[in-house]
Amino acid sequence: MTEISRYGVLETTGARDVYDVLAEEVRLLGYSALEAALSESELDNYSKHFDEAELQYGADASARGYNLEEINERDAIRLLPTISPLFWEIVFNERLHQLLSRLLGAYYILNQVNGLINRGNQSKYHQAQYHRDLPYQHFTSSRPLAINALFALDDFTIENGATRVIPGSHHREAFPPDEVVRRLEKQVIVKRGTFVVLDCMVYHAGSTNMTARNRRAINHVFTIPMFRQQFHISSVVADASGFSDQQKKILGYGLEEFRSVDDWLRSRQTKAI
């Protein structure tokens, strides 16, 4: 392809491959889209397991005395892969981690992974409010601290409430005026099997699903290690034997807080051996 002409430019950002291109889109706009390279039959299987996990999650919560409707938790499946282990495959999707490594560096962890359901014919959707995935924070940083990888299990369309973003808002501390939001907001339309990848500081929102069918997605948040996980995954997933060392690192194994100086010194002793 012909090189883009420019004048007076002394510094440029290189791009070795598509992951560098998408990473630069996230840095500039706050969002991009990445195909997970899954077949239609694989996506059908994930859809089947998602629906089964929703039923299982609801039944388990009810058996423990929780009414998900009353506590506004009906539309989420918390720590989805602990209900249906098949979804660890999405957590560790190779293409996704190629992109994450360009954005977050060599060491990042999974903060949360939740199934989300934007129900059909629903007049009110909690996630339709603009927010950051590091909520209540008003600061900017020179590079991403946390990345949201929202996996579309169904097509994201205007009609079924596809995610809206305010491009570039991760560079601004305060939420912009309403008229600016109306002028700048973009709705991210993608096919199923695609990750909508967001800098967690970009303001974004779902939209009301005006169709008769649920729109399903899986929300993954990855952060630099200094952030506390939504769930202490190494406690919830007690058996880590099926994970590689790199996968355990991403899940946060080895990041436990030290309860005493002795614990700290023992950890240093172990590393020295």
Side-chain angles (χ1 to χ4, degrees), residues 8-44:
V9 176
L10 299 178
E11 298 179 3
T12 62
T13 301
R16 297 164 294 170
D17 54 27
V18 66
Y19 302 109
D20 281 343
V21 172
L22 297 180
E24 192 66 6
E25 285 187 7
V26 174
R27 294 185 192 105
L28 290 170
L29 297 176
Y31 72 100
S32 188
L34 171 71
E35 293 183 7
L38 298 171
S39 68
E40 291 298 311
S41 62
E42 287 176 308
L43 291 170
D44 288 343

Side-chain angles (χ1 to χ4, degrees), residues 92-151:
F92 295 117
N93 178 269
E94 182 179 352
R95 289 172 59 84
L96 173 61
H97 287 274
Q98 283 280 354
L99 180 53
L100 290 172
S101 68
R102 312 298 169 90
L103 290 165
L104 295 175
Y107 193 6
Y108 52 85
I109 63 172
L110 179 67
N111 177 282
Q112 57 187 269
V113 49
N114 301 317
L116 300 179
I117 306 157
N118 188 346
R119 300 191 186 278
N121 297 322
Q122 185 168 250
S123 60
K124 189 175 181 180
Y125 179 51
H126 175 68
Q127 293 295 318
Q129 302 176 85
Y130 268 109
H131 61 282
R132 286 170 160 159
D133 277 343
L134 296 180
Y136 307 105
Q137 304 306 307
H138 291 276
F139 60 83
T140 62
S141 60
S142 59
R143 60 184 63 193
L145 302 176
I147 294 294
N148 176 337
L150 182 62
F151 181 75

Side-chain angles (χ1 to χ4, degrees), residues 23-85:
E24 192 66 6
E25 285 187 7
V26 174
R27 294 185 192 105
L28 290 170
L29 297 176
Y31 72 100
S32 188
L34 171 71
E35 293 183 7
L38 298 171
S39 68
E40 291 298 311
S41 62
E42 287 176 308
L43 291 170
D44 288 343
N45 192 39
Y46 285 124
S47 294
K48 172 179 172 290
H49 279 78
F50 186 99
D51 291 343
E52 291 172 353
E54 181 191 358
L55 294 175
Q56 183 64 53
Y57 184 76
D60 290 348
S62 179
R64 297 196 304 271
Y66 298 107
N67 185 318
L68 296 180
E69 185 86 46
E70 287 183 357
I71 61 176
N72 199 29
E73 282 285 313
R74 177 172 171 257
D75 299 331
I77 309 171
R78 303 293 176 185
L79 271 180
L80 172 63
T82 64
I83 307 299
S84 181

Side-chain angles (χ1 to χ4, degrees), residues 38 46 86-93 96 151 195 218 220:
L38 298 171
Y46 285 124
L86 179 69
F87 290 99
W88 288 123
E89 295 177 3
I90 304 295
V91 171
F92 295 117
N93 178 269
L96 173 61
F151 181 75
F195 289 101
I218 307 168
H220 307 78

